Amino acid sequence: MSAPALRFKEFDGDWKSFSLLDLSSDKTLNNGVFNDQNKVGKGYKLINVLDMYIDRDIDESRLSLLDLSKQEFERNKVKYGDIFFTRSSLVKEGIAYSNVYLGSSNDITYDGHLIKLSPNLEQINSIFLNYGLKTSKVRKQLIQGGKTATMTTIGQKEIASTKIDVPFLQEQTKIASFLSAIDEKISQLTQKHQLLSQYKQGMMQKLFSQQIRFKADDGSEFGKWESKKISDLFDEVRNKVADRDIETYSITAGKGFVSQANKFGRDISGKQNSNYIVLKPNDFSYNKGNSKTYKYGCVYLNELTYDIAVPNVFISFRSKKQNLVHEKFYSKLFEFHYLDRYLRLLISSSARMDGLLNVSKDGFFEIKLPYPCLEEQTKIANFLSAIDQKIEVTSQQIEQAKQWKKGLLQQMF
């Protein structure tokens, strides 16, 4: 083949095409040992299907355990550089997804739902090969080799015959090191994101429990927090869309307001749109649908700069005209699951036929919320918003790095 589009300047010459079997030290590919649930929890460390779907190489610290005889283990032993492929998937695009083991332990085996390739390390760099297996060119071959019935499956023969273009070992190693450095940066950013998220959760706990209190600008202590009903602080929003042309939004737990056009590919409100509620900037809506993230439903603030239309089954509300409320403070309070303990008591049955929780509107507005003075609300809101900005910047950096890596994979192979 001709050289790839992007290449380190010290290398030249054409790459050569090999089948994966050509690159195997065993000249065969093997299935692992099938997982007996009665033998899980002790024995040898087990690589399974879930270990294929992580961005980095196989994480030994996350492996489960499987009890095997010594003879079974020796037949299915894993060593440095071994690459594994998923054998089946509910979706065609999910077959033959790969990952590489780069550890040094001598007590690791692998699941029967995986196929193992042991590369000839004198010929091929395993890290390079694992990156190459994720390019669109190679993935297309693997997917085409699948056979679909109830599930899509792929066999050893189809994987073994898959072709990949490779340079000499020195260039492979340089490419592998370069892409590994990008993965390390993504890993560092991901860890930073996790630490910031954990820090935010910890600070929310301390702030909303009043374990930590801010002081006024003059150094004085703020007063004791009051307790006020939602109806004391907010009015229900009832204005309907009618014949106005307003974009329709839904609430997605963990994300907030998402336009139906983006979420579903189109506006699904149909004729009901005229009965939807007009939500202005800084208005709230409570979505009574339960989810893994919010078992008792979730409340989100409209942080957009324009009006949106939301389903009339939501409970929508806005702060009263008096300057008593900093909306971002209550947005963070709701995000903190503060309402859960009260909503749980309000739910009259698990769910309605439409999947919504049975929460009465009157009962919702009777829920009591903590009420610090506006100045303290503002300080708390600004503090938590600053953490959110750092989390968002880190999220963008992660996404940019992933997209850069994706582009490099297609140009460097």
Side-chain angles (χ1 to χ4, degrees):
M1 66 158 282
S2 59
L6 185 63
R7 199 171 188 184
F8 291 104
K9 62 182 180 180
E10 63 265 38
F11 300 105
D12 56 20
D14 289 346
W15 290 23
K16 294 183 179 180
S17 181
F18 295 91
S19 71
L20 293 183
L21 187 62
D22 292 334
L23 301 174
S24 170
S25 62
D26 297 338
K27 297 308 173 188
T28 184
L29 279 72
N30 299 298
N31 292 330
V33 59
F34 278 96
N35 193 337
D36 184 342
Q37 293 300 313
N38 295 321
K39 295 183 178 181
V40 171
K42 60 179 181 179
Y44 297 99
K45 294 176 184 176
L46 178 74
I47 296 172
N48 62 38
V49 172
L50 294 178
D51 297 306
M52 301 302 101
Y53 300 103
I54 55 178
D55 288 335
R56 297 299 302 274
D57 51 279
I58 293 166
D59 184 353
E60 190 175 334
S61 67
R62 296 173 49 183
L63 300 183
S64 55
L65 299 176
L66 184 65
D67 190 16
L68 294 176
S69 69
K70 184 71 173 177
Q71 185 178 11
E72 284 179 297
F73 171 70
E74 289 297 333
R75 284 200 305 266
N76 298 281
K77 193 172 182 178
V78 173
K79 63 181 182 297
Y80 176 90
D82 284 348
I83 289 179
F84 302 88
F85 301 84
T86 55
R87 294 177 58 195
S88 61
S89 173
L90 290 172
V91 294
K92 191 171 184 179
E93 292 74 14
I95 60 166
Y97 206 83
S98 67
N99 207 350
V100 60
Y101 175 67
L102 300 175
S104 57
S105 295
N106 58 5
D107 63 345
I108 296 181
T109 187
Y110 64 106
D111 192 284
H113 295 94
L114 300 176
I115 294 172
K116 183 184 76 169
L117 165 67
S118 292
N120 178 358
L121 299 184
E122 295 182 357
Q123 181 185 13
I124 187 76
N125 181 298
S126 283
I127 303 173
F128 169 88
L129 179 56
N130 190 49
Y131 283 123
L133 292 169
K134 299 183 189 306
T135 60
S136 58
K137 181 178 180 180
V138 178
R139 288 291 304 149
K140 184 178 180 180
Q141 291 182 69
L142 290 166
I143 291 168
Q144 288 177 340
K147 296 178 175 62
T148 302
T150 305
M151 300 179 72
T152 299
T153 60
I154 192 168
Q156 297 154 307
K157 180 180 178 181
E158 289 74 24
I159 293 177
S161 62
T162 298
K163 297 282 189 178
I164 186 168
D165 299 311
V166 300
F168 288 112
L169 194 58
Q170 187 179 0
E171 187 173 0
Q172 295 175 33
T173 302
K174 181 122 185 185
I175 293 170
S177 297
F178 177 70
L179 293 174
S180 293
I182 297 174
D183 270 338
E184 179 60 29
K185 181 63 176 178
I186 293 172
S187 179
Q188 291 172 356
L189 288 169
T190 302
Q191 185 178 28
K192 180 181 178 180
H193 187 277
Q194 292 170 345
L195 291 172
L196 282 169
S197 299
Q198 291 168 7
Y199 173 67
K200 176 187 171 184
Q201 288 299 314
M203 291 306 300
M204 290 171 82
Q205 171 66 42
K206 292 177 179 179
L207 288 167
F208 293 134
S209 67
Q210 301 178 62
Q211 183 179 342
I212 291 178
R213 295 285 300 273
F214 285 99
K215 291 185 178 181
D217 290 342
D218 62 6
S220 63
E221 304 281 349
F222 286 120
K224 184 179 179 181
W225 288 17
E226 299 179 46
S227 178
K228 292 182 179 287
K229 295 178 182 178
I230 292 179
S231 60
D232 294 331
L233 301 172
F234 301 94
D235 290 321
E236 183 183 358
V237 176
R238 299 179 180 177
N239 296 334
K240 295 184 178 180
V241 172
D243 59 355
R244 295 174 62 186
D245 183 16
I246 301 176
E247 189 173 4
T248 308
Y249 276 70
S250 296
I251 286 178
T252 299
K255 293 184 178 179
F257 289 102
V258 180
S259 73
Q260 287 192 358
N262 288 337
K263 184 175 182 178
F264 304 110
R266 62 185 179 87
D267 187 331
I268 62 171
S269 60
K271 295 181 180 179
Q272 296 296 320
N273 183 263
S274 61
N275 290 321
Y276 274 32
I277 301 299
V278 178
L279 211 66
K280 295 184 176 298
N282 290 321
D283 287 351
F284 292 89
S285 273
Y286 166 50
N287 179 0
K288 294 186 281 185
N290 65 345
S291 65
K292 290 182 179 180
T293 310
Y294 287 93
K295 184 177 180 181
Y296 305 106
C298 53
V299 178
Y300 277 97
L301 174 69
N302 177 16
E303 299 187 53
L304 301 168
T305 58
Y306 48 86
D307 293 356
I308 60 176
V310 298
N312 55 350
V313 292
F314 291 177
I315 298 176
S316 298
F317 53 100
R318 70 170 57 108
S319 59
K320 291 180 179 292
K321 291 183 179 180
Q322 305 95 310
N323 192 23
L324 299 173
V325 167
H326 193 297
E327 286 83 0
K328 279 287 186 72
F329 169 82
Y330 284 99
S331 173
K332 299 306 173 191
L333 185 74
F334 298 143
E335 179 187 335
F336 184 60
H337 292 259
Y338 182 86
L339 296 178
D340 284 7
R341 72 189 90 168
Y342 305 104
L343 292 170
R344 178 173 58 83
L345 298 175
L346 283 177
I347 296 170
S348 57
S349 63
S350 58
R352 306 185 326 202
M353 291 295 291
D354 56 10
L356 299 177
L357 298 168
N358 278 312
V359 177
S360 73
K361 190 178 294 184
D362 290 342
F364 179 83
F365 280 100
E366 287 295 307
I367 293 175
K368 290 187 175 181
L369 302 176
Y371 179 72
C373 70
L374 184 60
E375 186 180 353
E376 189 171 6
Q377 289 181 43
T378 302
K379 286 182 176 290
I380 293 172
N382 290 343
F383 176 78
L384 294 175
S385 294
I387 301 175
D388 276 339
Q389 289 176 359
K390 292 180 180 179
I391 292 173
E392 178 58 26
V393 167
T394 306
S395 295
Q396 291 174 3
Q397 291 172 335
I398 292 170
E399 184 58 29
Q400 288 167 1
K402 286 182 175 180
Q403 290 302 316
W404 184 47
K405 174 188 167 185
K406 184 177 179 180
L408 288 172
L409 278 174
Q410 304 313 318
Q411 295 181 75
M412 296 183 76
F413 283 84

CSV table of all heavy atoms in Angstrom, one decimal, residues 88-126:
chain,number,residue,atom,x,y,z
A,88,SER,N,-19.6,-11.6,20.0
A,88,SER,CA,-20.9,-11.4,19.6
A,88,SER,C,-21.4,-10.0,20.1
A,88,SER,O,-20.8,-9.4,21.0
A,88,SER,CB,-21.8,-12.5,20.1
A,88,SER,OG,-21.8,-12.5,21.5
A,89,SER,N,-22.5,-9.6,19.5
A,89,SER,CA,-23.1,-8.3,20.0
A,89,SER,C,-24.5,-8.2,19.5
A,89,SER,O,-24.9,-8.8,18.5
A,89,SER,CB,-22.3,-7.1,19.3
A,89,SER,OG,-22.9,-5.9,19.6
A,90,LEU,N,-25.4,-7.5,20.2
A,90,LEU,CA,-26.8,-7.3,19.8
A,90,LEU,C,-26.8,-6.4,18.6
A,90,LEU,O,-27.8,-6.5,17.8
A,90,LEU,CB,-27.5,-6.6,21.0
A,90,LEU,CG,-27.8,-7.5,22.2
A,90,LEU,CD1,-28.4,-6.7,23.3
A,90,LEU,CD2,-28.7,-8.7,21.8
A,91,VAL,N,-25.8,-5.5,18.4
A,91,VAL,CA,-25.8,-4.7,17.2
A,91,VAL,C,-24.6,-5.1,16.4
A,91,VAL,O,-23.5,-5.5,16.9
A,91,VAL,CB,-25.7,-3.2,17.6
A,91,VAL,CG1,-27.0,-2.8,18.2
A,91,VAL,CG2,-24.5,-2.9,18.5
A,92,LYS,N,-24.7,-5.0,15.1
A,92,LYS,CA,-23.6,-5.5,14.2
A,92,LYS,C,-22.3,-4.8,14.4
A,92,LYS,O,-21.3,-5.3,14.4
A,92,LYS,CB,-24.1,-5.4,12.7
A,92,LYS,CG,-23.2,-6.1,11.7
A,92,LYS,CD,-23.9,-6.0,10.3
A,92,LYS,CE,-23.0,-6.8,9.4
A,92,LYS,NZ,-23.6,-6.9,8.0
A,93,GLU,N,-22.5,-3.4,14.7
A,93,GLU,CA,-21.3,-2.6,14.8
A,93,GLU,C,-20.5,-2.9,16.1
A,93,GLU,O,-19.4,-2.5,16.3
A,93,GLU,CB,-21.7,-1.1,14.8
A,93,GLU,CG,-22.2,-0.6,13.5
A,93,GLU,CD,-23.6,-1.1,13.2
A,93,GLU,OE1,-24.3,-1.6,14.2
A,93,GLU,OE2,-24.1,-0.9,12.1
A,94,GLY,N,-21.0,-3.7,17.0
A,94,GLY,CA,-20.4,-4.0,18.2
A,94,GLY,C,-19.5,-5.3,18.2
A,94,GLY,O,-18.8,-5.5,19.2
A,95,ILE,N,-19.5,-6.0,17.2
A,95,ILE,CA,-18.7,-7.2,17.1
A,95,ILE,C,-17.2,-6.9,17.0
A,95,ILE,O,-16.8,-5.9,16.4
A,95,ILE,CB,-19.1,-8.2,16.0
A,95,ILE,CG1,-19.0,-7.6,14.7
A,95,ILE,CG2,-20.5,-8.7,16.3
A,95,ILE,CD1,-19.1,-8.6,13.5
A,96,ALA,N,-16.4,-7.9,17.4
A,96,ALA,CA,-14.9,-7.8,17.3
A,96,ALA,C,-14.3,-6.5,17.8
A,96,ALA,O,-13.3,-6.1,17.3
A,96,ALA,CB,-14.6,-8.0,15.8
A,97,TYR,N,-14.9,-6.0,18.8
A,97,TYR,CA,-14.3,-4.8,19.5
A,97,TYR,C,-13.1,-5.3,20.3
A,97,TYR,O,-13.2,-6.3,21.0
A,97,TYR,CB,-15.3,-4.1,20.3
A,97,TYR,CG,-14.9,-2.6,20.5
A,97,TYR,CD1,-15.3,-1.7,19.5
A,97,TYR,CD2,-14.2,-2.2,21.6
A,97,TYR,CE1,-14.9,-0.4,19.6
A,97,TYR,CE2,-13.8,-0.8,21.7
A,97,TYR,CZ,-14.2,0.1,20.7
A,97,TYR,OH,-13.8,1.4,20.8
A,98,SER,N,-12.0,-4.6,20.2
A,98,SER,CA,-10.8,-5.1,20.7
A,98,SER,C,-10.2,-4.3,21.8
A,98,SER,O,-10.5,-3.1,22.0
A,98,SER,CB,-9.7,-5.2,19.6
A,98,SER,OG,-9.3,-3.9,19.2
A,99,ASN,N,-9.3,-5.0,22.6
A,99,ASN,CA,-8.5,-4.3,23.6
A,99,ASN,C,-7.2,-5.2,23.8
A,99,ASN,O,-7.2,-6.4,23.5
A,99,ASN,CB,-9.2,-4.0,24.9
A,99,ASN,CG,-8.6,-2.8,25.6
A,99,ASN,OD1,-7.6,-2.3,25.3
A,99,ASN,ND2,-9.3,-2.4,26.6
A,100,VAL,N,-6.2,-4.6,24.4
A,100,VAL,CA,-4.9,-5.2,24.6
A,100,VAL,C,-4.5,-5.3,26.1
A,100,VAL,O,-4.8,-4.4,26.8
A,100,VAL,CB,-3.8,-4.5,23.8
A,100,VAL,CG1,-3.7,-3.0,24.3
A,100,VAL,CG2,-2.5,-5.2,23.9
A,101,TYR,N,-3.9,-6.4,26.5
A,101,TYR,CA,-3.4,-6.5,27.8
A,101,TYR,C,-1.9,-6.2,27.8
A,101,TYR,O,-1.1,-6.8,27.1
A,101,TYR,CB,-3.6,-8.0,28.3
A,101,TYR,CG,-3.0,-8.2,29.7
A,101,TYR,CD1,-3.5,-7.5,30.8
A,101,TYR,CD2,-1.8,-9.0,29.8
A,101,TYR,CE1,-2.9,-7.7,32.1
A,101,TYR,CE2,-1.2,-9.2,31.1
A,101,TYR,CZ,-1.8,-8.5,32.2
A,101,TYR,OH,-1.2,-8.7,33.4
A,102,LEU,N,-1.5,-5.2,28.7
A,102,LEU,CA,-0.1,-4.8,28.7
A,102,LEU,C,0.5,-4.9,30.1
A,102,LEU,O,1.5,-4.3,30.4
A,102,LEU,CB,-0.1,-3.3,28.3
A,102,LEU,CG,-0.6,-3.0,26.9
A,102,LEU,CD1,-0.5,-1.5,26.6
A,102,LEU,CD2,0.3,-3.7,25.8
A,103,GLY,N,-0.1,-5.8,30.9
A,103,GLY,CA,0.4,-6.1,32.3
A,103,GLY,C,1.4,-7.2,32.3
A,103,GLY,O,1.8,-7.7,31.3
A,104,SER,N,1.9,-7.5,33.5
A,104,SER,CA,2.9,-8.5,33.7
A,104,SER,C,2.5,-9.7,34.6
A,104,SER,O,3.3,-10.5,34.9
A,104,SER,CB,4.2,-7.8,34.3
A,104,SER,OG,3.9,-7.2,35.5
A,105,SER,N,1.2,-9.7,35.0
A,105,SER,CA,0.8,-10.8,35.9
A,105,SER,C,0.8,-12.1,35.2
A,105,SER,O,0.5,-12.2,34.0
A,105,SER,CB,-0.6,-10.4,36.5
A,105,SER,OG,-0.6,-9.3,37.3
A,106,ASN,N,1.0,-13.2,35.9
A,106,ASN,CA,1.0,-14.5,35.4
A,106,ASN,C,-0.2,-15.3,35.8
A,106,ASN,O,-0.2,-16.5,35.8
A,106,ASN,CB,2.3,-15.2,35.7
A,106,ASN,CG,2.6,-15.3,37.2
A,106,ASN,OD1,1.7,-15.0,38.0
A,106,ASN,ND2,3.7,-15.9,37.5
A,107,ASP,N,-1.3,-14.6,36.3
A,107,ASP,CA,-2.4,-15.3,36.8
A,107,ASP,C,-3.7,-14.8,36.2
A,107,ASP,O,-4.8,-14.7,36.8
A,107,ASP,CB,-2.5,-15.2,38.3
A,107,ASP,CG,-2.7,-13.8,38.8
A,107,ASP,OD1,-2.5,-12.8,38.0
A,107,ASP,OD2,-3.1,-13.5,40.0
A,108,ILE,N,-3.7,-14.5,34.9
A,108,ILE,CA,-4.8,-14.0,34.2
A,108,ILE,C,-5.3,-14.9,33.1
A,108,ILE,O,-4.5,-15.4,32.3
A,108,ILE,CB,-4.5,-12.6,33.6
A,108,ILE,CG1,-4.2,-11.6,34.8
A,108,ILE,CG2,-5.7,-12.1,32.8
A,108,ILE,CD1,-3.9,-10.2,34.3
A,109,THR,N,-6.6,-15.1,33.1
A,109,THR,CA,-7.3,-15.9,32.0
A,109,THR,C,-8.3,-15.0,31.3
A,109,THR,O,-8.4,-13.8,31.6
A,109,THR,CB,-7.9,-17.2,32.5
A,109,THR,OG1,-8.4,-18.0,31.5
A,109,THR,CG2,-9.0,-16.9,33.5
A,110,TYR,N,-9.1,-15.6,30.4
A,110,TYR,CA,-10.1,-14.7,29.7
A,110,TYR,C,-11.3,-15.5,29.4
A,110,TYR,O,-11.4,-16.8,29.3
A,110,TYR,CB,-9.5,-14.2,28.4
A,110,TYR,CG,-9.1,-15.2,27.3
A,110,TYR,CD1,-9.8,-15.4,26.2
A,110,TYR,CD2,-7.9,-15.9,27.5
A,110,TYR,CE1,-9.5,-16.3,25.2
A,110,TYR,CE2,-7.5,-16.9,26.5
A,110,TYR,CZ,-8.3,-17.0,25.4
A,110,TYR,OH,-8.0,-17.9,24.4
A,111,ASP,N,-12.4,-14.8,29.2
A,111,ASP,CA,-13.8,-15.3,29.1
A,111,ASP,C,-14.0,-16.0,27.7
A,111,ASP,O,-13.4,-15.6,26.7
A,111,ASP,CB,-14.8,-14.1,29.2
A,111,ASP,CG,-16.2,-14.6,29.4
A,111,ASP,OD1,-16.8,-15.0,28.4
A,111,ASP,OD2,-16.7,-14.6,30.6
A,112,GLY,N,-14.9,-17.0,27.7
A,112,GLY,CA,-15.2,-17.7,26.5
A,112,GLY,C,-15.9,-16.9,25.4
A,112,GLY,O,-16.1,-17.3,24.3
A,113,HIS,N,-16.4,-15.7,25.8
A,113,HIS,CA,-17.1,-14.8,24.8
A,113,HIS,C,-16.1,-13.9,24.1
A,113,HIS,O,-16.5,-13.0,23.4
A,113,HIS,CB,-18.1,-13.9,25.6
A,113,HIS,CG,-19.3,-14.7,26.1
A,113,HIS,ND1,-19.3,-15.2,27.4
A,113,HIS,CD2,-20.4,-15.2,25.5
A,113,HIS,CE1,-20.4,-15.9,27.6
A,113,HIS,NE2,-21.1,-15.9,26.5
A,114,LEU,N,-14.8,-14.2,24.4
A,114,LEU,CA,-13.7,-13.4,23.7
A,114,LEU,C,-12.9,-14.4,22.8
A,114,LEU,O,-12.8,-15.6,23.1
A,114,LEU,CB,-12.8,-12.8,24.7
A,114,LEU,CG,-13.5,-11.8,25.7
A,114,LEU,CD1,-12.5,-11.3,26.7
A,114,LEU,CD2,-14.1,-10.6,24.9
A,115,ILE,N,-12.3,-13.8,21.8
A,115,ILE,CA,-11.3,-14.5,21.0
A,115,ILE,C,-9.9,-13.8,21.2
A,115,ILE,O,-9.8,-12.6,21.2
A,115,ILE,CB,-11.7,-14.4,19.5
A,115,ILE,CG1,-13.0,-15.2,19.3
A,115,ILE,CG2,-10.6,-15.0,18.6
A,115,ILE,CD1,-13.6,-15.1,17.9
A,116,LYS,N,-8.9,-14.6,21.4
A,116,LYS,CA,-7.6,-14.1,21.7
A,116,LYS,C,-6.6,-14.2,20.5
A,116,LYS,O,-6.6,-15.2,19.8
A,116,LYS,CB,-7.0,-14.8,22.9
A,116,LYS,CG,-5.6,-14.3,23.3
A,116,LYS,CD,-5.0,-15.1,24.4
A,116,LYS,CE,-4.4,-16.4,23.9
A,116,LYS,NZ,-3.6,-17.1,24.9
A,117,LEU,N,-5.9,-13.1,20.2
A,117,LEU,CA,-4.8,-13.1,19.3
A,117,LEU,C,-3.5,-12.8,20.1
A,117,LEU,O,-3.4,-11.8,20.8
A,117,LEU,CB,-5.0,-12.0,18.2
A,117,LEU,CG,-3.8,-11.6,17.4
A,117,LEU,CD1,-3.4,-12.8,16.5
A,117,LEU,CD2,-4.1,-10.4,16.5
A,118,SER,N,-2.5,-13.7,20.0
A,118,SER,CA,-1.2,-13.4,20.6
A,118,SER,C,-0.3,-13.0,19.5
A,118,SER,O,0.3,-13.8,18.7
A,118,SER,CB,-0.7,-14.7,21.2
A,118,SER,OG,-1.5,-15.1,22.4
A,119,PRO,N,0.0,-11.7,19.4
A,119,PRO,CA,0.8,-11.2,18.3
A,119,PRO,C,2.3,-11.6,18.5
A,119,PRO,O,2.8,-11.8,19.6
A,119,PRO,CB,0.7,-9.6,18.5
A,119,PRO,CG,-0.5,-9.4,19.3
A,119,PRO,CD,-0.6,-10.6,20.2
A,120,ASN,N,3.0,-11.7,17.3
A,120,ASN,CA,4.4,-12.0,17.3
A,120,ASN,C,5.1,-10.7,17.6
A,120,ASN,O,5.2,-9.8,16.7
A,120,ASN,CB,4.8,-12.5,15.9
A,120,ASN,CG,6.3,-12.8,15.8
A,120,ASN,OD1,7.1,-12.5,16.7
A,120,ASN,ND2,6.7,-13.3,14.7
A,121,LEU,N,5.6,-10.5,18.8
A,121,LEU,CA,6.1,-9.2,19.2
A,121,LEU,C,7.4,-8.8,18.5
A,121,LEU,O,7.8,-7.6,18.6
A,121,LEU,CB,6.3,-9.1,20.7
A,121,LEU,CG,5.0,-9.4,21.5
A,121,LEU,CD1,5.2,-9.2,23.0
A,121,LEU,CD2,3.9,-8.4,21.1
A,122,GLU,N,8.0,-9.7,17.8
A,122,GLU,CA,9.2,-9.4,17.0
A,122,GLU,C,8.8,-8.8,15.7
A,122,GLU,O,9.6,-8.3,15.0
A,122,GLU,CB,10.1,-10.7,16.8
A,122,GLU,CG,10.7,-11.2,18.1
A,122,GLU,CD,11.5,-12.4,17.9
A,122,GLU,OE1,11.6,-12.9,16.7
A,122,GLU,OE2,12.1,-12.9,18.8
A,123,GLN,N,7.5,-8.9,15.4
A,123,GLN,CA,7.0,-8.5,14.1
A,123,GLN,C,6.1,-7.3,14.2
A,123,GLN,O,6.0,-6.4,13.4
A,123,GLN,CB,6.3,-9.6,13.4
A,123,GLN,CG,5.7,-9.3,12.0
A,123,GLN,CD,5.0,-10.5,11.5
A,123,GLN,OE1,4.7,-11.5,12.2
A,123,GLN,NE2,4.6,-10.5,10.2
A,124,ILE,N,5.3,-7.3,15.3
A,124,ILE,CA,4.2,-6.3,15.4
A,124,ILE,C,4.2,-5.8,16.9
A,124,ILE,O,4.3,-6.5,17.8
A,124,ILE,CB,2.9,-6.9,15.0
A,124,ILE,CG1,1.8,-5.8,15.0
A,124,ILE,CG2,2.5,-8.0,15.9
A,124,ILE,CD1,1.8,-4.9,13.8
A,125,ASN,N,4.0,-4.5,17.0
A,125,ASN,CA,3.9,-3.8,18.3
A,125,ASN,C,2.4,-3.9,18.7
A,125,ASN,O,1.5,-3.5,18.0
A,125,ASN,CB,4.3,-2.3,18.2
A,125,ASN,CG,4.2,-1.6,19.5
A,125,ASN,OD1,3.1,-1.5,20.1
A,125,ASN,ND2,5.3,-1.1,20.0
A,126,SER,N,2.1,-4.6,19.8
A,126,SER,CA,0.7,-4.8,20.2
A,126,SER,C,-0.1,-3.5,20.4
A,126,SER,O,-1.3,-3.5,20.1
A,126,SER,CB,0.7,-5.6,21.5
A,126,SER,OG,0.9,-7.0,21.3
